[in-house]
Amino acid sequence: MAVTWHILGAGSLGSLWAARLTRADLSVRLILRDEARLDVYQAAGSCVTLIEGDVAQAYPVEAQTATHREPVERLLVACKAYDAEQAVAQLASRLTPYAEVILLQNGLGSQDAVAARVPHARCIFASSTEGAFMESDWRVRFAGHGFTWLGDVSNPAAPALLQDIRASGIAHEWTPDILTRLWRKLALNCAVNPLTVLHACRNGGLLEQGCEVMTLCAELAKLLECCGQPAAAQGLHDEVLRVIHATAANYSSMYQDVAHGRRTEISYLSGYACAAAARHHCPAPHLQQLQTRLTTHLASKGLRTD
Ligand code: NAD
Ligand code: KPL
Protein backbone atom coordinates (compact mmCIF):
# COMPACT_ATOMS: atom_id res chain seq x y z
CA MET A 1 0.00 0.00 0.00
CA ALA A 2 1.21 3.51 -0.82
CA VAL A 3 2.82 5.32 2.09
CA THR A 4 1.87 8.98 2.63
CA TRP A 5 4.69 11.54 2.52
CA HIS A 6 4.51 14.22 5.19
CA ILE A 7 6.57 17.25 4.26
CA LEU A 8 7.66 19.49 7.10
CA GLY A 9 8.19 23.02 5.80
CA ALA A 10 6.48 24.48 2.74
CA GLY A 11 9.44 26.59 1.64
CA SER A 12 11.53 26.17 -1.51
CA LEU A 13 12.65 22.54 -1.31
CA GLY A 14 9.56 21.34 0.57
CA SER A 15 7.28 22.79 -2.13
CA LEU A 16 9.48 21.45 -4.93
CA TRP A 17 9.28 17.93 -3.49
CA ALA A 18 5.55 18.24 -2.70
CA ALA A 19 4.75 19.22 -6.30
CA ARG A 20 6.83 16.44 -7.86
CA LEU A 21 5.57 13.70 -5.52
CA THR A 22 1.98 14.83 -6.13
CA ARG A 23 2.59 14.91 -9.91
CA ALA A 24 3.56 11.22 -9.59
CA ASP A 25 0.16 10.49 -7.97
CA LEU A 26 1.65 9.91 -4.53
CA SER A 27 -0.10 10.82 -1.33
CA VAL A 28 1.39 14.01 0.18
CA ARG A 29 0.61 16.23 3.20
CA LEU A 30 2.31 19.52 3.89
CA ILE A 31 2.90 20.35 7.54
CA LEU A 32 2.63 24.10 8.03
CA ARG A 33 3.86 26.16 10.98
CA ASP A 34 0.52 26.96 12.61
CA GLU A 35 -3.22 27.34 12.11
CA ALA A 36 -2.80 30.87 10.74
CA ARG A 37 -0.56 29.62 7.90
CA LEU A 38 -2.95 26.74 7.28
CA ASP A 39 -5.85 29.22 6.94
CA VAL A 40 -3.85 31.31 4.46
CA TYR A 41 -2.95 28.19 2.45
CA GLN A 42 -6.52 26.94 2.33
CA ALA A 43 -7.86 30.38 1.41
CA ALA A 44 -5.39 30.42 -1.50
CA GLY A 45 -6.81 27.11 -2.81
CA SER A 46 -4.63 24.45 -1.10
CA CYS A 47 -2.31 24.17 -4.09
CA VAL A 48 1.43 24.30 -4.63
CA THR A 49 2.48 25.83 -7.95
CA LEU A 50 5.67 24.58 -9.58
CA ILE A 51 7.26 26.97 -12.08
CA GLU A 52 9.80 25.69 -14.59
CA GLY A 53 10.90 28.09 -17.33
CA ASP A 54 7.70 29.85 -18.38
CA VAL A 55 5.41 26.94 -17.44
CA ALA A 56 3.53 27.07 -14.14
CA GLN A 57 1.51 24.08 -12.94
CA ALA A 58 -0.60 24.00 -9.78
CA TYR A 59 -0.84 20.76 -7.77
CA PRO A 60 -3.47 20.21 -5.07
CA VAL A 61 -1.72 19.17 -1.84
CA GLU A 62 -3.48 18.64 1.49
CA ALA A 63 -1.99 20.48 4.45
CA GLN A 64 -2.15 20.25 8.23
CA THR A 65 -0.23 21.44 11.29
CA ALA A 66 1.92 19.47 13.74
CA THR A 67 -1.08 19.14 16.08
CA HIS A 68 -2.93 16.92 13.58
CA ARG A 69 -3.26 13.31 14.77
CA GLU A 70 -2.48 11.40 11.57
CA PRO A 71 0.45 8.98 12.11
CA VAL A 72 3.60 9.88 10.20
CA GLU A 73 5.43 6.99 8.51
CA ARG A 74 7.54 8.93 6.04
CA LEU A 75 8.69 12.44 6.85
CA LEU A 76 10.65 14.80 4.62
CA VAL A 77 12.21 17.55 6.74
CA ALA A 78 12.52 20.62 4.52
CA CYS A 79 13.15 23.33 7.14
CA LYS A 80 16.34 25.32 7.48
CA ALA A 81 19.06 23.59 9.55
CA TYR A 82 18.41 25.88 12.55
CA ASP A 83 14.68 24.98 12.63
CA ALA A 84 14.92 21.25 11.97
CA GLU A 85 15.38 19.88 15.49
CA GLN A 86 12.51 21.82 17.04
CA ALA A 87 10.22 21.20 14.09
CA VAL A 88 10.79 17.42 14.24
CA ALA A 89 10.46 17.37 18.04
CA GLN A 90 6.91 18.72 17.62
CA LEU A 91 6.08 15.68 15.49
CA ALA A 92 7.95 13.03 17.47
CA SER A 93 4.82 11.59 19.07
CA ARG A 94 3.20 11.13 15.64
CA LEU A 95 6.06 9.10 14.16
CA THR A 96 5.27 5.40 13.78
CA PRO A 97 7.77 2.87 15.25
CA TYR A 98 9.45 2.28 11.86
CA ALA A 99 9.13 5.80 10.55
CA GLU A 100 11.58 7.08 7.95
CA VAL A 101 12.79 10.67 8.23
CA ILE A 102 14.65 12.29 5.32
CA LEU A 103 16.78 15.28 6.27
CA LEU A 104 17.39 17.74 3.44
CA GLN A 105 19.40 20.27 5.47
CA ASN A 106 22.60 21.76 4.18
CA GLY A 107 25.75 21.63 6.32
CA LEU A 108 26.26 19.37 9.33
CA GLY A 109 25.06 19.29 12.91
CA SER A 110 21.30 19.49 12.47
CA GLN A 111 21.07 15.86 11.26
CA ASP A 112 22.57 14.46 14.48
CA ALA A 113 20.41 16.79 16.58
CA VAL A 114 17.27 15.52 14.84
CA ALA A 115 18.36 11.87 15.04
CA ALA A 116 18.88 12.21 18.80
CA ARG A 117 15.31 13.55 19.16
CA VAL A 118 13.75 10.60 17.31
CA PRO A 119 15.96 7.60 18.16
CA HIS A 120 13.40 5.05 16.94
CA ALA A 121 13.06 6.52 13.47
CA ARG A 122 15.33 5.68 10.55
CA CYS A 123 17.08 8.94 9.72
CA ILE A 124 18.16 9.29 6.11
CA PHE A 125 20.55 12.14 5.37
CA ALA A 126 20.40 13.91 2.02
CA SER A 127 22.72 16.25 0.16
CA SER A 128 21.21 18.11 -2.76
CA THR A 129 22.53 20.32 -5.53
CA GLU A 130 19.03 21.20 -6.75
CA GLY A 131 18.12 24.87 -6.69
CA ALA A 132 14.69 26.33 -5.92
CA PHE A 133 13.23 29.51 -4.51
CA MET A 134 9.78 30.83 -3.63
CA GLU A 135 8.48 33.45 -6.07
CA SER A 136 5.62 34.10 -3.65
CA ASP A 137 3.59 32.12 -1.12
CA TRP A 138 2.99 28.54 -2.34
CA ARG A 139 4.71 29.24 -5.72
CA VAL A 140 8.12 27.66 -6.14
CA ARG A 141 10.55 28.14 -9.01
CA PHE A 142 12.72 25.15 -9.93
CA ALA A 143 15.78 27.25 -10.70
CA GLY A 144 18.51 24.66 -11.09
CA HIS A 145 18.32 20.99 -11.93
CA GLY A 146 20.73 19.04 -9.77
CA PHE A 147 21.20 15.79 -7.97
CA THR A 148 20.28 14.45 -4.54
CA TRP A 149 22.36 11.86 -2.70
CA LEU A 150 20.70 9.95 0.12
CA GLY A 151 22.16 7.61 2.69
CA ASP A 152 21.84 6.17 6.18
CA VAL A 153 25.01 6.21 8.28
CA SER A 154 23.85 3.23 10.36
CA ASN A 155 22.18 1.05 7.71
CA PRO A 156 23.41 0.69 4.12
CA ALA A 157 20.21 -1.09 2.93
CA ALA A 158 18.31 0.99 0.36
CA PRO A 159 14.81 1.93 1.61
CA ALA A 160 11.59 1.36 -0.35
CA LEU A 161 10.93 5.10 -0.51
CA LEU A 162 13.52 5.36 -3.31
CA GLN A 163 10.84 3.95 -5.64
CA ASP A 164 8.65 7.00 -4.97
CA ILE A 165 11.58 9.33 -5.52
CA ARG A 166 12.35 7.61 -8.82
CA ALA A 167 8.68 7.73 -9.88
CA SER A 168 8.70 11.48 -9.14
CA GLY A 169 11.59 12.08 -11.55
CA ILE A 170 13.91 13.34 -8.82
CA ALA A 171 17.51 12.70 -9.91
CA HIS A 172 19.05 10.82 -7.02
CA GLU A 173 21.36 8.07 -5.84
CA TRP A 174 21.52 5.97 -2.69
CA THR A 175 25.04 6.11 -1.29
CA PRO A 176 26.85 4.39 1.58
CA ASP A 177 29.08 7.50 1.76
CA ILE A 178 26.54 10.19 2.58
CA LEU A 179 28.81 11.66 5.28
CA THR A 180 31.60 12.09 2.73
CA ARG A 181 29.11 13.93 0.48
CA LEU A 182 27.91 16.17 3.31
CA TRP A 183 31.45 16.98 4.47
CA ARG A 184 32.55 17.72 0.91
CA LYS A 185 29.60 20.08 0.34
CA LEU A 186 30.24 21.72 3.71
CA ALA A 187 33.88 22.35 2.78
CA LEU A 188 32.83 23.74 -0.61
CA ASN A 189 30.30 26.04 1.03
CA CYS A 190 32.89 27.16 3.64
CA ALA A 191 35.37 28.04 0.88
CA VAL A 192 32.86 29.99 -1.20
CA ASN A 193 29.86 31.34 0.70
CA PRO A 194 31.43 33.44 3.51
CA LEU A 195 33.88 35.06 1.08
CA THR A 196 31.07 36.07 -1.29
CA VAL A 197 29.38 37.79 1.65
CA LEU A 198 32.55 39.52 2.87
CA HIS A 199 33.62 40.63 -0.62
CA ALA A 200 30.03 41.42 -1.63
CA CYS A 201 30.42 39.54 -4.90
CA ARG A 202 29.02 36.83 -7.13
CA ASN A 203 30.74 33.44 -6.95
CA GLY A 204 32.86 34.44 -9.96
CA GLY A 205 34.20 37.45 -8.04
CA LEU A 206 36.24 35.00 -5.96
CA LEU A 207 38.50 34.46 -8.97
CA GLU A 208 40.09 37.74 -7.83
CA GLN A 209 40.62 36.29 -4.32
CA GLY A 210 42.60 33.26 -5.51
CA CYS A 211 45.11 33.30 -2.65
CA GLU A 212 42.47 33.46 0.08
CA VAL A 213 40.46 30.66 -1.56
CA MET A 214 43.57 28.48 -1.93
CA THR A 215 44.65 28.98 1.71
CA LEU A 216 41.15 28.16 2.95
CA CYS A 217 40.94 25.04 0.80
CA ALA A 218 44.28 23.80 2.14
CA GLU A 219 43.08 24.29 5.72
CA LEU A 220 39.70 22.71 5.00
CA ALA A 221 41.36 19.69 3.36
CA LYS A 222 43.52 19.16 6.48
CA LEU A 223 40.45 19.52 8.66
CA LEU A 224 38.58 16.88 6.64
CA GLU A 225 41.51 14.51 7.13
CA CYS A 226 41.60 15.22 10.90
CA CYS A 227 37.87 14.47 11.03
CA GLY A 228 38.35 11.06 9.37
CA GLN A 229 37.06 12.24 5.98
CA PRO A 230 40.09 11.87 3.67
CA ALA A 231 37.93 11.08 0.62
CA ALA A 232 36.11 14.40 1.04
CA ALA A 233 39.47 16.20 1.04
CA GLN A 234 40.68 14.81 -2.31
CA GLY A 235 41.09 17.52 -4.95
CA LEU A 236 39.06 20.03 -2.90
CA HIS A 237 40.77 23.14 -4.27
CA ASP A 238 40.28 22.01 -7.88
CA GLU A 239 36.61 21.34 -7.27
CA VAL A 240 36.10 24.69 -5.56
CA LEU A 241 37.65 26.43 -8.58
CA ARG A 242 35.48 24.37 -10.91
CA VAL A 243 32.33 25.36 -9.00
CA ILE A 244 33.38 29.02 -8.90
CA HIS A 245 33.79 28.98 -12.69
CA ALA A 246 30.58 27.01 -13.30
CA THR A 247 28.50 29.29 -11.05
CA ALA A 248 30.42 32.51 -11.71
CA ALA A 249 27.28 34.53 -12.49
CA ASN A 250 25.37 33.32 -9.38
CA TYR A 251 25.15 34.75 -5.91
CA SER A 252 25.80 32.11 -3.23
CA SER A 253 22.92 31.05 -0.98
CA MET A 254 24.55 32.79 2.00
CA TYR A 255 25.02 36.00 0.00
CA GLN A 256 21.31 35.88 -0.89
CA ASP A 257 20.27 35.23 2.72
CA VAL A 258 22.27 38.25 3.89
CA ALA A 259 21.03 40.44 1.02
CA HIS A 260 17.42 39.62 1.98
CA GLY A 261 18.04 40.16 5.71
CA ARG A 262 17.45 36.46 6.44
CA ARG A 263 19.15 34.37 9.08
CA THR A 264 22.01 32.31 7.59
CA GLU A 265 22.91 28.67 8.32
CA ILE A 266 26.39 29.76 9.48
CA SER A 267 26.38 27.53 12.61
CA TYR A 268 25.94 24.46 10.42
CA LEU A 269 28.59 25.53 7.87
CA SER A 270 31.72 27.49 8.88
CA GLY A 271 30.62 27.46 12.55
CA TYR A 272 30.45 23.66 12.46
CA ALA A 273 33.85 23.47 10.71
CA CYS A 274 35.48 25.73 13.33
CA ALA A 275 34.00 23.70 16.19
CA ALA A 276 35.24 20.47 14.56
CA ALA A 277 38.73 21.98 14.17
CA ALA A 278 38.80 22.88 17.88
CA ARG A 279 37.49 19.45 18.90
CA HIS A 280 40.16 17.66 16.85
CA HIS A 281 42.96 20.11 17.82
CA CYS A 282 43.41 20.78 14.12
CA PRO A 283 44.91 24.24 13.49
CA ALA A 284 42.64 26.30 11.22
CA PRO A 285 43.61 29.95 11.78
CA HIS A 286 42.26 31.28 8.46
CA LEU A 287 38.96 29.53 8.91
CA GLN A 288 38.64 30.89 12.47
CA GLN A 289 39.50 34.37 11.24
CA LEU A 290 36.95 34.04 8.44
CA GLN A 291 34.32 33.03 10.99
CA THR A 292 35.12 36.07 13.15
CA ARG A 293 34.93 38.41 10.15
CA LEU A 294 31.65 36.83 9.08
CA THR A 295 29.97 37.01 12.49
CA THR A 296 31.12 40.64 12.86
CA HIS A 297 29.68 41.41 9.43
CA LEU A 298 26.35 39.70 10.20
CA ALA A 299 26.08 41.48 13.54
CA SER A 300 26.74 44.83 11.83
CA LYS A 301 23.70 44.10 9.63
CA GLY A 302 21.57 43.18 12.64
CA LEU A 303 21.53 39.50 11.62
CA ARG A 304 21.84 36.53 13.94
CA THR A 305 25.29 35.03 14.28
CA ASP A 306 24.17 31.59 15.45
P1 NAD B 1 13.02 27.76 3.07
O1 NAD B 1 13.32 28.81 4.07
O2 NAD B 1 12.59 28.17 1.70
O3 NAD B 1 11.91 26.78 3.64
C1 NAD B 1 11.88 26.34 4.97
C2 NAD B 1 10.42 26.30 5.39
O4 NAD B 1 10.33 25.63 6.64
C3 NAD B 1 9.82 27.69 5.59
O5 NAD B 1 8.63 27.78 4.85
C4 NAD B 1 9.54 27.74 7.09
O6 NAD B 1 8.41 28.52 7.42
C5 NAD B 1 9.30 26.27 7.36
N1 NAD B 1 9.38 25.90 8.78
C6 NAD B 1 10.32 26.22 9.69
N2 NAD B 1 10.02 25.70 10.90
C7 NAD B 1 8.85 25.04 10.73
C8 NAD B 1 8.00 24.31 11.60
N3 NAD B 1 8.28 24.15 12.90
N4 NAD B 1 6.87 23.76 11.10
C9 NAD B 1 6.53 23.91 9.79
N5 NAD B 1 7.29 24.61 8.91
C10 NAD B 1 8.44 25.16 9.39
O7 NAD B 1 14.31 26.84 3.00
P2 NAD B 1 14.85 26.00 1.76
O8 NAD B 1 15.55 26.90 0.81
O9 NAD B 1 13.79 25.10 1.24
O10 NAD B 1 15.99 25.15 2.47
C11 NAD B 1 15.72 24.03 3.30
C12 NAD B 1 17.06 23.31 3.54
O11 NAD B 1 17.51 22.79 2.28
C13 NAD B 1 18.18 24.25 4.01
O12 NAD B 1 19.01 23.60 4.92
C14 NAD B 1 18.92 24.60 2.74
O13 NAD B 1 20.28 24.94 2.95
C15 NAD B 1 18.81 23.28 1.98
N6 NAD B 1 18.93 23.45 0.53
C16 NAD B 1 18.16 24.35 -0.14
C17 NAD B 1 18.28 24.47 -1.52
C18 NAD B 1 17.44 25.45 -2.30
O14 NAD B 1 17.69 25.62 -3.50
N7 NAD B 1 16.47 26.11 -1.72
C19 NAD B 1 19.20 23.65 -2.21
C20 NAD B 1 19.96 22.73 -1.49
C21 NAD B 1 19.82 22.62 -0.12
O1 KPL C 1 26.04 25.50 -2.77
C1 KPL C 1 26.32 26.64 -3.06
C2 KPL C 1 25.62 27.73 -2.36
O2 KPL C 1 25.49 28.83 -2.89
O3 KPL C 1 25.16 27.46 -1.23
C3 KPL C 1 27.40 26.91 -4.06
C4 KPL C 1 26.81 27.34 -5.38
C5 KPL C 1 28.18 25.64 -4.32
C6 KPL C 1 28.38 27.92 -3.55
O4 KPL C 1 28.96 27.48 -2.38
Side-chain angles (χ1 to χ4, degrees):
M1 211 179 63
V3 176
T4 294
W5 285 74
H6 284 83
I7 299 186
L8 184 52
S12 312
L13 281 196
S15 302
L16 179 64
W17 278 67
R20 292 179 297 180
L21 292 166
T22 302
R23 186 169 62 187
D25 276 335
L26 295 162
S27 168
V28 179
R29 308 271 186 277
L30 283 173
I31 300 177
L32 305 181
R33 260 182 197 278
D34 51 33
E35 293 297 330
R37 281 306 277 166
L38 185 57
D39 287 348
V40 172
Y41 179 69
Q42 287 171 343
S46 294
C47 281
V48 170
T49 299
L50 176 61
I51 307 157
E52 287 186 82
D54 49 15
V55 178
Q57 177 73 49
Y59 296 94
V61 184
E62 274 184 45
Q64 55 185 233
T65 66
T67 58
H68 198 283
R69 285 218 165 94
E70 189 176 48
V72 175
E73 279 181 81
R74 186 169 287 169
L75 179 68
L76 180 76
V77 183
C79 307
K80 285 283 172 57
Y82 47 75
D83 281 328
E85 183 185 357
Q86 271 311 110
V88 172
Q90 285 181 304
L91 284 178
S93 63
R94 288 177 56 188
L95 292 179
T96 60
Y98 299 102
E100 295 164 319
V101 177
I102 303 183
L103 299 166
L104 278 179
Q105 288 59 49
N106 212 359
L108 280 164
S110 68
Q111 298 88 347
D112 286 342
V114 169
R117 286 278 188 162
V118 289
H120 303 298
R122 181 179 190 190
C123 285
I124 293 166
F125 297 179
S127 177
S128 181
T129 60
E130 292 194 319
F133 63 88
M134 299 305 286
E135 286 201 346
S136 57
D137 261 4
W138 330 118
R139 289 175 65 84
V140 61
R141 177 166 286 278
F142 194 1
H145 286 256
F147 205 83
T148 302
W149 283 270
L150 301 122
D152 177 347
V153 288
S154 49
N155 179 359
L161 57 78
L162 295 182
Q163 287 162 19
D164 287 358
I165 297 180
R166 194 173 310 117
S168 305
I170 298 169
H172 72 284
E173 192 175 298
W174 180 254
T175 171
D177 299 321
I178 189 65
L179 274 185
T180 306
R181 293 269 169 205
L182 285 164
W183 271 105
R184 177 70 160 200
K185 177 101 191 304
L186 176 131
L188 187 71
N189 286 153
C190 286
V192 174
N193 297 13
L195 288 179
T196 61
V197 172
L198 293 168
H199 292 287
C201 66
R202 296 176 197 260
N203 292 352
L206 297 186
L207 294 171
E208 287 162 35
Q209 315 298 333
C211 232
E212 215 174 353
V213 171
M214 188 173 65
T215 311
L216 265 178
C217 285
E219 246 178 51
L220 284 161
K222 281 216 179 75
L223 173 62
L224 291 171
E225 279 165 15
C226 286
C227 293
Q229 295 294 333
Q234 295 256 319
L236 179 64
H237 184 228
D238 287 347
E239 191 180 351
V240 166
L241 291 182
R242 188 189 60 72
V243 169
I244 289 175
H245 277 285
T247 62
N250 300 356
Y251 287 108
S252 77
S253 54
M254 190 180 278
Y255 177 99
Q256 292 181 48
D257 283 340
V258 174
H260 289 100
R262 296 189 295 244
R263 183 177 174 183
T264 67
E265 294 183 300
I266 177 178
S267 297
Y268 303 87
L269 297 169
S270 45
Y272 186 91
C274 286
R279 205 167 50 245
H280 290 276
H281 307 291
C282 175
H286 293 89
L287 191 61
Q288 306 278 5
Q289 195 204 39
L290 181 74
Q291 180 71 357
T292 306
R293 284 162 64 201
L294 184 59
T295 51
T296 305
H297 180 84
L298 296 179
S300 76
K301 301 231 161 226
L303 294 176
R304 287 180 65 154
T305 56
D306 62 343

